[in-house]
Structure formats: C-alpha cells, structure tokens
Amino acid sequence: VILDGVQIDVEKLLPKLGVIAAYHSGDEVIADCPWQAHRKGGRRKFYVNLRTGLWICQACKDKKGSIYKLIMLLKDISFPEAAEYLKDNGSEVDFESFGDYITETLYNEVKPLRSRSDKKVVRESKKILLASRRFSKKGFWYSQRGYNEETIRKWNLRILPSSRWRNVIPVSVDGKEKYVIRRAQDPSTKPKYLYQRGFPKRELLFGLDSADSDMLILCEGPLDAISLWQHLSKLKMLDRYSPVAIFGSKISTEQIDLVERNADKVILFFDNDTDGESAVIDCMRKIKNVPTYVVDYGSFNVKDPGDLNTKQVRSMLTHITSVIEQKVMASINGS
Ligand SMILES: [Zn+2]
C-alpha cells in the first residue's frame, strides 16, 4: 500500500506488531485482537485491509484507524516515532510529505496530503519564526550542541517555547529566510529533523545561500553543516571551504545540478556509517563535472561531523583523497 507517498507492506508489518493472521479474505486479514485485555472476546475480531492499511477491532468498539495509529497505540509511541518505526521495519517513509502532521497534537488519522504552494510554506515559516525566540546561554544550541554565540547568530538558530519540536533552523534562499526546519531537542526522538510540508528539500542545499567559497563541503544534516561552519570559522578557513547539507544521505538530481553550478571543487563529508558510505558512492557516480574529494574518518571514532573537534576537522580536510584515487584503490582491492 502506498499512503501519501509512503510505501508500507502491511502484510509484512503485522506479525512484527504481534498481529497474527488467522485467515485472509480478499484484501483483508482477519486476526485476533492484539490487545491483551481484549484477547478473550477479540478472537478473530481484528480486521486489517492490506490495500489501505485501515483496521478495526470489532471487540474493542473504539479501536480503528490507520496503520500509523495502530503502531502508535500498540507501541505507545508518538506519530513521528511510528513513522520511524515503519522506516526501520523495511518501509519507505517520506518524512518530507508529512511535515505538518508530525506534531504533538496529531494522534488520530493521517489525512490525505496535497502539495502546498510555496507561498503558503513561506507564510508558515514566518509564523514559526515569529513564535520562536533567540537563544539563551543555557539553551540547547549553546549547552548541548556546543555552538558559540557567533554561530548561533550567523545561522539565527532559535527555539520554539511550547513545542516538543523546539529548535528552529531557518533556511535562507536569496538572502531571505524562506523556510524553517525544526529539530528535536531530545537526541532519541526520531526523526531528528522535521521539514515543513512543501519544503523543497530536493531543490536546496542548506548553507549554499551564504557560501563564500567555490569549494563546497557536502554533508548530510543542517546541524553537521553548522558544526563544520563553526570549526572552519575558528580555523579562519571559511574563505576556502563552504559547508552545505543535502538534508539526508540521498542527493537529488537538482542538488547535483546546484553543486555543479556553484562549486569548483567538492569534498564529501558524510556520516561515518553505512548510509554515509552509500552517499559517497552515489555522489562519486553522479557528480561528473566538478573534481570531487572524500574525507576519511580514519581512527576518529565518531558517527558524524557534529562529533568532531576543530583539530580533527582540520586534519581530515588536509588528508582528503580524490574520487579518482578512490576508484583506483577500489579496483586494486577488488581484483
Ligand atoms: Zn480488540
């Protein structure tokens, strides 16, 4: 089933949630009620439509809804956590299209999503920015992320007082803060980054708007780019390197185009994990018209650029290898 751009294999998912099919009927699976308390009266009373993901328990009369609601109720988790659960369990989840729905208030249903006009998205960003506050010294950006005042000011990092999604990162295009990204304070909250519905993620590179050099450093998340920016600022190297983020580990064709139009040289600085490695391979293949280099984490036992210190960043940038070298090494090792 594809729900609003989200592909979910309901049949594969059900056993993981403890819903064991007794039998199939057309598009439907009939199972015992997965809630312990209702199990006695709920024998073969639980219906799930494999095509739509909609479900109903005829024993517990109040219980019915979407596949998200089922996960939320059974696992006692929030909507974003349910979306993340789906992702971890082999389903494609397009967080971008959720945007608005990933809020604290959402609990019931996922409504059909329609794309929104850019005007609407920009208007929403303005509202969010107005509702947000500048940082305080005790705040998240300063105490938890280790950002200094210069960094916080430069990126206009903000905090939303009353939301679970408290941290606000404006995204500038042509010198204007057009969009906002919200980010969970609690590192265990998934997804980490929350994009507005209609946010043109594929057409943007975070940080490109203020890039001062033609050497772009590509990283995954906006906070990685900001961390690298702070290190480069300390090293007084911002005239040489400009960190930009691709909003994840999959670069879009529009982003490739932006890179090729704006950079003389590219350094790939993705996360130190398997997603980061596949992002490197992907970029090695797709960036054709700009010399491309790769950093090596070597013995630094960190998971992303945000965990590195200034000295480590400098060392990695002085030991980059070109993609051509990488390809030669791979062919030697591979044969
Ligand atoms: Zn039930």
Side-chain angles (χ1 to χ4, degrees):
V1 50
I2 295 174
L3 281 174
D4 312 322
V6 181
Q7 192 157 14
I8 300 156
D9 190 339
V10 178
E11 197 163 13
K12 270 193 194 150
L13 185 72
L14 290 176
K16 290 179 188 167
L17 293 168
V19 177
I20 311 298
Y23 59 93
H24 285 70
S25 168
D27 281 334
E28 284 188 324
V29 150
I30 293 94
D32 297 344
C33 174
W35 279 279
Q36 211 68 39
H38 303 111
R39 197 152 271 174
K40 249 187 181 170
R43 204 169 134 68
R44 299 191 173 184
K45 290 283 172 66
F46 194 79
Y47 290 74
V48 188
N49 188 305
L50 295 176
R51 206 168 40 78
T52 61
L54 295 173
W55 57 276
I56 186 165
C57 179
Q58 290 186 335
C60 345
K61 280 182 185 126
D62 56 333
K63 284 204 171 75
K64 62 177 176 182
S66 70
I67 207 75
Y68 295 98
K69 189 176 172 185
L70 181 64
I71 298 166
M72 286 155 73
L73 290 175
L74 282 173
K75 302 256 162 205
D76 193 23
I77 56 180
S78 67
F79 180 74
E81 287 166 334
E84 186 66 16
Y85 177 87
L86 278 173
K87 196 182 166 201
D88 291 343
N89 284 277
S91 298
E92 275 287 309
V93 177
D94 182 3
F95 291 116
E96 191 187 9
S97 53
F98 286 128
D100 280 4
Y101 294 100
I102 308 181
T103 66
E104 228 176 14
T105 48
L106 183 131
Y107 193 72
N108 294 321
E109 292 299 326
V110 180
K111 291 172 197 158
L113 298 171
R114 264 179 233 107
S115 65
R116 296 198 299 175
S117 71
D118 196 52
K119 244 189 199 165
K120 255 191 176 169
V121 185
V122 173
R123 219 182 302 142
E124 182 194 59
S125 314
K126 219 174 255 172
K127 270 191 203 158
I128 294 169
L129 282 170
L130 277 172
S132 69
R133 289 192 200 132
R134 278 194 171 274
F135 76 102
S136 78
K137 282 216 166 180
K138 284 177 201 146
F140 167 86
W141 295 118
Y142 193 88
S143 61
Q144 285 186 50
R145 289 300 302 195
Y147 291 159
N148 60 33
E149 268 187 65
E150 186 203 4
T151 305
I152 293 165
R153 265 178 222 290
K154 150 81 188 167
W155 297 95
N156 192 20
L157 302 175
R158 307 181 72 89
I159 287 169
L160 266 178
S162 61
S163 156
R164 186 176 160 195
W165 301 92
R166 279 199 198 152
N167 304 301
V168 180
I169 310 161
V171 181
S172 289
V173 181
D174 300 327
K176 278 190 198 122
E177 289 176 338
K178 277 186 78 177
Y179 311 106
V180 293
I181 303 165
R182 279 154 288 178
R183 199 206 185 263
Q185 281 202 343
D186 179 352
S188 66
T189 307
K190 301 274 174 72
K192 274 191 290 193
Y193 292 104
L194 180 64
Y195 301 104
Q196 294 169 279
R197 189 155 61 84
F199 176 68
K201 198 166 80 173
R202 289 175 184 84
E203 293 150 35
L204 296 172
L205 288 173
F206 178 85
L208 184 65
D209 205 45
S210 57
D212 287 327
S213 83
D214 302 325
M215 205 191 307
L216 294 185
I217 299 179
L218 296 193
C219 56
E220 293 180 32
L223 291 195
D224 297 326
I226 295 170
S227 292
L228 287 171
W229 185 92
Q230 179 164 294
H231 293 308
L232 291 164
S233 169
K234 282 183 190 165
L235 295 164
K236 305 208 182 311
M237 287 169 123
L238 282 168
D239 55 338
R240 284 179 58 194
Y241 302 100
S242 297
V244 299
I246 64 170
F247 303 109
S249 56
K250 288 190 182 83
I251 196 161
S252 70
T253 44
E254 293 91 338
Q255 287 170 331
I256 297 278
D257 197 46
L258 278 176
V259 167
E260 297 201 329
R261 277 193 280 127
N262 289 285
D264 282 347
K265 187 170 163 183
V266 176
I267 299 171
L268 307 177
F269 208 134
F270 297 124
D271 288 6
N272 191 19
D273 58 18
T274 49
D275 278 355
E277 280 164 29
S278 33
V280 167
I281 293 165
D282 197 32
C283 285
M284 278 163 63
R285 278 201 203 112
K286 289 176 179 166
I287 301 172
K288 293 198 177 99
N289 302 316
V290 187
T292 305
Y293 296 79
V294 188
V295 294
D296 182 2
Y297 281 88
S299 59
F300 303 143
N301 190 21
V302 299
K303 61 175 183 6
D304 61 49
D307 294 334
L308 293 160
N309 62 39
T310 305
K311 220 176 128 186
Q312 291 171 322
V313 168
R314 184 176 54 192
S315 156
M316 284 172 72
L317 288 176
T318 48
H319 295 102
I320 51 174
T321 50
S322 77
V323 162
I324 296 166
E325 285 173 72
Q326 293 259 328
K327 282 180 182 162
V328 170
M329 285 192 300
S331 69
I332 292 167
N333 293 335
S335 57

